[in-house]
């Protein structure tokens, strides 16, 4: 039965699960063709920050669309990209002096890895190429990004193409020293360490402390190993601060940003780098240049949307909304304490998560209860997408008290409804 040629991502079409159609979005809500209002509990897969169709972002895109839509970015430039690079330099850690554009989180990571190898190629001590990664991490779905992410059912088929990395254990509470020791050891011949700061998203909303992030950064610095912060999910306020790195008072050598960069409206990514990383590619020899581009690099419409996002951050009480949301998420997490079958209730900034207890060996991404949970949430008008048996809420910062309460209620009810 073929009713649509559309092949959806991370979807098993063979199960015949319904795929509702959305026609419109506003604030924290999506509306189906039938007119059902859906609360967007996961910011449309972690991208949306200020709510859907924010008037300033939509207007900026429309205005730019009438002026300059798209142009080559090799050897040519345009105002929206210049403004955005200048704007990012002003609010990101001061050591990150250079801004390289691409169009998704995965490509921002690929660019970061290529920059790191380019940096080491130019070093007198000799080239290095080994990348150190953290257990359970996720950095995207392209071959390089998968290579530095956790291996599992979602990349088993591609395993022969993935390159070798060194994995340090996740710094679970009480076991942090093992992570630091492993990193110390791995740094002896590594080019770079790539990490999701404070919270591992796709790995199951696993949190660790800012102190550990700071210690990992210090180890890399001591060994001259490049520290790559993948803030594709954690950036733009999600963890309570503009960058998660801020909470550990660390500045990476390379920073990946995407998702909330345009407020979650259109695709865009940047990889920011320190002067030494840039200078490693700077010479009078064309062979030393950074060999990377994609057709839509620094697309003007996307840059205009990102500039509007920066203006919203500068002029609207975004941090206040984040603080309010974080507080309510914390109250929710506390309220989960005595709920049967709820484990490991946790929060990082605006993100609240818990695990539904399952018999041992039946957890993980493919946990059997995921399809039932999805169906339950659809029936209550909630957009939630558990990671295996991990249920989490990561709404846009504009979500109001009623919608947030409905979201929390649905999450709690789902545990007994499905269990
Ligand atoms: C989503 C994500 C990516 C990949 O971004 P895409 O835009 O989906 O390619 C990379 N790293 C992290 C931490 C992410 O959460």
């Amino acid at each position: 039965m073929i009713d649509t040629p559309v092949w959806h991502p991370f979807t098993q079409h063979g199960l015949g699960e319904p795929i509702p159609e959305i026609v419109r979005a506003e604030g924290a809500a999506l509306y189906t063709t039938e007119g059902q209002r859906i609360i967007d509990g996961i910011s449309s897969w972690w991208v949306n920050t200020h709510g859907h169709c924010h008037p300033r972002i939509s207007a900026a895109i429309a205005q730019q669309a009438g002026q300059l839509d798209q142009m080559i970015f090799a050897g040519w430039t345009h105002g929206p990209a210049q403004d955005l690079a200048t704007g990012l330099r002003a609010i990101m850690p001061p050591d990150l002096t250079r801004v390289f554009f691409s169009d998704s989180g995965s490509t921002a990571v690929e660019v970061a890895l290529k920059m790191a190898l380019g940096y080491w190629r130019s070093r007198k001590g000799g080239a290095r190429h080994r990348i150190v990664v953290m257990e359970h991490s996720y950095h995207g779905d392209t071959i390089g990004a998968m290579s530095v992410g956790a291996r599992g059912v979602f990349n088993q088929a591609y395993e022969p193409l993935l390159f070798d990395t060194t994995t340090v254990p996740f710094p679970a509470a009480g076991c942090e020293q093992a992570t630091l020791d492993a990193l110390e050891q791995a740094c002896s011949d590594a080019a770079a360490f790539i990490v999701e700061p404070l919270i591992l998203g796709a790995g199951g909303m696993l949190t660790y402390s800012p102190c550990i992030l700071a210690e990992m950064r210090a180890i890399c610095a001591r060994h001259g190993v490049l520290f790559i912060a993948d803030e594709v999910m954690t950036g733009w306020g999600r963890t309570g601060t503009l960058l998660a790195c801020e909470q550990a008072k660390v500045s990476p050598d390379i920073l990946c940003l995407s998702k909330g960069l345009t407020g979650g409206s259109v695709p865009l990514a940047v990889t920011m780098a320190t002067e030494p990383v840039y200078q490693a590619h700077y010479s009078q020899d064309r062979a030393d240049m950074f060999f990377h581009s994609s057709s839509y690099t620094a697309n003007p419409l996307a840059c205009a949307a990102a500039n509007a996002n920066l203006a919203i951050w500068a002029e609207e009480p975004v941090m206040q909304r984040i603080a309010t949301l974080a507080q309510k998420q914390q109250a929710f997490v506390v309220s989960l304490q005595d709920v049967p079958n709820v484990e490991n209730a946790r929060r990082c900034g605006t993100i609240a998560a818990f695990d539904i207890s399952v018999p041992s060996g039946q957890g993980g991404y493919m946990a059997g209860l995921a399809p039932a949970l999805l169906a339950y949430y659809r029936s209550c008008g909630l957009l939630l997408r558990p990671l295996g048996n991990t249920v989490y809420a990561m709404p846009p910062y504009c979500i109001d008290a009623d919608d947030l309460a409905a979201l929390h209620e649905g999450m709690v009810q789902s545990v007994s409804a499905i269990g």
Side-chain angles (χ1 to χ4, degrees):
M1 184 190 72
I2 295 176
D3 46 13
T4 167
V6 177
W7 189 345
H8 287 266
F10 276 85
T11 299
Q12 179 46 274
H13 287 274
L15 294 175
E17 287 161 356
I19 301 181
E21 185 174 337
I22 300 297
V23 285
R24 185 171 78 77
E26 186 183 348
L30 305 168
Y31 296 86
T32 68
T33 38
E34 276 91 49
Q36 190 189 7
R37 183 174 185 275
I38 311 285
I39 301 171
D40 188 350
I42 59 164
S43 297
S44 286
W45 241 353
W46 319 346
V47 298
N48 193 284
T49 49
H50 314 298
H52 289 275
C53 297
H54 189 291
R56 287 179 81 158
I57 294 175
S58 296
I61 295 169
Q63 201 273 333
Q64 187 61 41
Q67 197 171 328
L68 172 67
D69 52 355
Q70 159 65 16
M71 56 168 270
I72 183 171
F73 204 62
W76 297 81
T77 194
H78 56 79
Q82 297 290 340
D83 292 347
L84 180 53
T86 306
L88 288 170
R89 257 206 79 169
I91 60 171
M92 292 297 159
D95 286 350
L96 298 168
T97 49
R98 305 290 167 171
V99 182
F100 191 92
F101 292 94
S102 64
D103 33 39
S104 74
S106 302
T107 54
V109 166
E110 299 281 354
V111 164
L113 298 174
K114 287 173 71 173
M115 281 179 178
L117 265 67
Y119 169 84
W120 278 101
R121 180 177 180 263
S122 77
R123 303 284 294 176
K124 292 207 177 58
R128 289 185 179 190
H129 63 270
R130 179 153 287 268
I131 309 293
V132 184
V133 306
M134 182 178 278
E135 184 189 16
H136 303 310
S137 55
Y138 175 80
H139 299 288
D141 282 338
T142 52
I143 296 290
M146 276 194 293
S147 296
V148 293
R151 308 295 159 92
V153 62
F154 29 83
N155 51 34
Q156 220 155 38
Y158 327 115
E159 182 97 37
L161 295 187
L162 306 187
F163 59 75
D164 256 358
T165 56
T166 301
T167 304
V168 300
F170 176 77
C175 310
E176 293 94 341
Q177 196 55 46
T179 304
L180 301 177
D181 292 346
L183 182 58
E184 186 89 47
Q185 201 161 25
C187 273
S188 61
D189 68 341
F193 173 50
I194 182 167
V195 71
E196 295 164 85
L198 300 189
I199 179 164
L200 276 54
M205 300 297 157
L206 305 173
T207 60
Y208 62 93
S209 81
C211 309
I212 298 305
L213 183 60
E215 291 201 43
M216 293 190 303
R217 205 287 170 253
I219 289 170
C220 290
R222 225 170 26 247
H223 291 272
V225 170
L226 295 175
F227 183 88
I228 304 172
D230 177 356
E231 295 239 21
V232 168
M233 182 197 83
T234 52
W236 305 104
R238 213 58 90 169
T239 70
T241 42
L242 178 63
L243 293 184
C245 278
E246 268 175 54
Q247 295 177 46
K249 300 190 170 60
V250 301
S251 173
D253 297 298
I254 301 177
L255 170 69
C256 304
L257 294 173
S258 185
K259 293 192 170 130
L261 172 59
T262 60
S265 58
V266 287
L268 184 68
V270 294
T271 306
M272 294 185 70
T274 57
E275 208 52 24
V277 173
Y278 176 76
Q279 290 299 333
H281 297 84
Y282 184 96
S283 79
Q284 270 63 59
D285 186 347
R286 289 168 56 80
D288 293 335
M289 75 169 87
F290 186 50
F291 290 103
H292 192 93
S293 177
S294 50
S295 307
Y296 287 97
T297 298
N299 171 259
L301 308 183
C303 289
N307 283 323
N309 173 47
L310 292 196
I312 290 166
W313 271 88
E315 294 159 31
E316 292 187 19
V318 178
M319 283 311 297
Q320 200 179 309
R321 287 177 201 144
I322 287 170
T324 305
L325 175 55
Q327 208 171 22
K328 289 179 181 156
Q329 293 279 61
Q330 179 61 24
F332 172 58
V333 163
V334 169
S335 78
L336 292 171
Q337 220 128 78
D338 302 314
V339 178
N341 296 324
V342 167
E343 293 174 345
N344 305 323
R346 55 199 182 270
R347 180 188 67 94
C348 180
T350 67
I351 307 165
F354 62 83
D355 304 333
I356 300 179
S357 45
V358 291
S360 67
Q362 289 177 35
Y365 187 82
M366 301 301 276
L369 40 73
L373 285 172
L374 285 178
Y376 180 82
Y377 297 133
R378 266 198 306 269
S379 73
C380 334
L382 302 176
L383 170 51
L384 287 168
R385 197 181 158 95
L387 295 154
N389 59 316
T390 300
V391 178
Y392 68 93
M394 192 195 297
Y397 310 146
C398 65
I399 191 166
D400 68 22
D402 289 348
D403 281 350
L404 189 60
L407 196 59
H408 289 161
E409 174 76 10
M411 290 166 76
V412 171
Q413 292 300 325
S414 69
V415 179
S416 45
I418 301 311

